[in-house]
């Protein structure tokens, strides 16, 4: 019997529906989508650009709702998620499911009609990737769930770029790859200090299944692998030295923070300050990196700097 069936369902407010869309995660989704759109060569009418970002946001929200619909019982068993609308007994699971399907469908129609069906197809792939491949298949089965599932959050800048250009080229694929490789060290830094939650509900996150030592080593390894991919847009001539210098500095800082996390051993009553710092920095890292990409493009468009956006 599920947690939601044993708790009296309280009246649902609009805030609960909004909370199901994971607005904090949505912030990063919207930001990277906007960056992909602004960094792309060419131009798009402001109304269409807004529509593209809106469709991406709605689609991301829909997949987040479906994620929580499917995982309502698991969320009820974890400290950090037990007060969400479904485990908290403020909404029926069927309502969440229908809301998620409505948002997902609306986003696809909006993207397809207003922008184009290639962008809509990529948005559909993102929704299926997160709501089905990651949530229903990977997450409960393998400690590689975050590694493979990282693709779910990597679609927004790619879709934003395609919304402008109408085609897939090297640069948007690199933007996808950056977020894909960024996800493991970012998420595992968090998983290290909330691993008990995952262990309690049987989710095979890396720290639970492989242990902290292996997870720490992999955080360091993925940080090293991320660096050349983050620098690659500059290396292939897709950006100027502005983005290039920012990507190099950020990558060095990421490594400097990942190094002690990767090699240290937790002691009793450990506050895990290094892990918390790495997790927080990883969020700032992505925001600053993509902001630098947009700044590079704007400066190039104004003729202030040289360099090509041939991709």
């Amino acid at each position: 019997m599920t947690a939601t069936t044993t708790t009296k369902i309280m009246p649902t407010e609009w805030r609960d529906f909004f909370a199901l869309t994971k607005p904090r995660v949505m912030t990063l989704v919207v930001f990277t989508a906007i960056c992909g759109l602004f960094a792309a060569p060419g131009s798009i009418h402001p109304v269409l650009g807004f529509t593209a970002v809106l469709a991406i946001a709605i689609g991301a929200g829909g997949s987040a709702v479906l994620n929580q619909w499917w995982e309502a019982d698991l969320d009820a068993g974890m400290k950090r998620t037990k007060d969400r609308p479904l485990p908290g007994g403020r909404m029926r699971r069927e309502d969440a499911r229908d809301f998620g399907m409505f948002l997902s469908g609306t986003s696809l129609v909006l993207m397809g009609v207003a922008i184009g069906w290639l962008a809509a197809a990529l948005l559909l792939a993102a929704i299926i990737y997160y709501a089905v491949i990651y949530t229903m298949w990977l997450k409960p089965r393998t400690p590689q769930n975050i590694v493979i599932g990282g693709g779910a959050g990597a679609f927004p800048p790619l879709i934003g770029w395609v919304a402008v250009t109408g085609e897939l080229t090297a640069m948007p694929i690199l933007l996808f790859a950056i977020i894909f490789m960024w996800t493991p060290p970012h998420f595992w830094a968090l998983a290290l200090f909330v691993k008990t939650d995952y262990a309690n509900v049987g989710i095979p996150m890396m720290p639970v299944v492989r242990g902290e030592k292996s997870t720490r080593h992999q955080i360091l390894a993925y940080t090293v692998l991320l660096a050349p991919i983050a620098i690659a847009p500059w290396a292939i001539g897709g950006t100027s030295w502005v983005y290039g210098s920012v990507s190099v500095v950020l990558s060095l800082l990421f490594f400097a923070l990942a190094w002690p996390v990767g090699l240290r051993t937790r002691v009793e009553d450990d506050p895990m300050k290094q892990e918390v710092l790495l997790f927080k920095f990883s969020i700032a890292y992505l925001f600053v990196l993509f902001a630098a990409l947009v700044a590079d493009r704007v400066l190039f468009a104004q003729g202030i700097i040289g360099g090509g956006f041939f991709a």
Side-chain angles (χ1 to χ4, degrees):
M1 184 173 290
T2 66
T4 51
T5 58
T6 58
T7 304
K8 183 179 178 180
I9 304 295
M10 296 180 288
T12 304
E13 296 184 358
W14 69 267
R15 295 177 184 83
D16 293 320
F17 282 103
F18 181 64
L20 283 177
T21 64
K22 297 186 177 180
R24 288 185 179 180
V25 175
M26 184 81 70
T27 302
L28 189 58
V29 167
V30 170
F31 178 76
T32 56
I34 290 174
C35 288
L37 187 142
F38 275 101
S43 61
I44 187 172
H45 191 282
V47 173
L48 292 179
F50 173 81
T51 302
V53 174
L54 178 63
I56 294 170
I58 294 173
S63 62
V65 175
L66 293 174
N67 166 268
Q68 290 179 77
W69 158 67
W70 186 263
E71 295 185 340
D73 294 337
L74 296 175
D75 285 347
M78 296 196 293
K79 183 178 180 180
R80 70 185 184 90
T81 58
K82 65 181 182 180
D83 292 326
R84 286 176 173 175
L86 289 173
R90 300 190 301 276
M91 184 183 297
R92 297 188 309 161
R93 291 183 74 161
E94 310 89 84
D95 292 340
R97 177 200 62 204
D98 295 344
F99 182 51
M101 294 296 291
F102 170 76
L103 290 179
S104 300
T106 299
S107 70
L108 296 175
V109 172
L110 181 62
M111 183 69 83
V113 172
I115 306 301
W117 294 107
L118 175 58
L122 292 171
L123 182 56
L124 174 61
I127 293 170
I128 293 175
Y129 206 131
Y130 184 64
V132 179
I133 296 175
Y134 171 70
T135 299
M136 299 181 185
W137 181 42
L138 292 172
K139 191 172 181 179
R141 288 178 172 81
T142 171
Q144 295 297 320
N145 47 26
I146 290 301
V147 177
I148 307 171
F155 277 96
L158 185 151
I159 299 172
W161 187 290
V162 170
V164 176
T165 66
E167 59 182 3
L168 274 174
T169 53
M171 277 294 290
I173 292 174
L174 278 176
L175 300 185
F176 178 97
I178 288 170
I179 299 180
F180 185 87
M181 296 301 294
W182 165 87
T183 302
H186 161 73
F187 191 88
W188 283 336
L190 170 67
L192 282 172
F193 53 88
V194 297
K195 73 171 187 175
T196 302
D197 264 0
Y198 292 116
N200 288 340
V201 295
I203 294 296
M205 286 297 174
M206 190 65 70
V208 177
V209 177
R210 297 288 186 263
E212 282 199 17
K213 184 176 182 180
S214 175
T215 304
R216 291 175 183 279
H217 289 171
Q218 292 190 60
I219 285 175
L220 190 55
Y222 275 97
T223 300
V224 172
L225 293 172
L226 170 63
I229 296 175
I231 298 169
W234 177 41
I236 68 170
T239 68
S240 77
W241 61 267
V242 173
Y243 171 86
S245 59
V246 171
S247 65
V248 170
V249 171
L250 286 175
S251 296
L252 290 173
L253 289 173
F254 206 138
F255 179 77
L257 293 175
W259 179 262
V261 171
L263 300 182
R264 71 188 292 265
T265 301
R266 195 207 312 222
V267 298
E268 189 175 354
D269 297 324
D270 195 328
M272 302 187 77
K273 291 182 180 179
Q274 290 96 330
E275 290 78 4
V276 173
L277 180 60
L278 177 61
F279 175 72
K280 291 181 177 179
F281 173 79
S282 67
I283 298 173
Y285 169 91
L286 207 62
F287 273 102
V288 176
L289 188 70
F290 275 80
L293 181 72
V294 174
D296 195 294
R297 175 60 180 166
V298 171
L299 292 172
F300 173 76
Q302 295 296 321
I304 299 174
I305 58 173
F309 268 74
F310 70 87

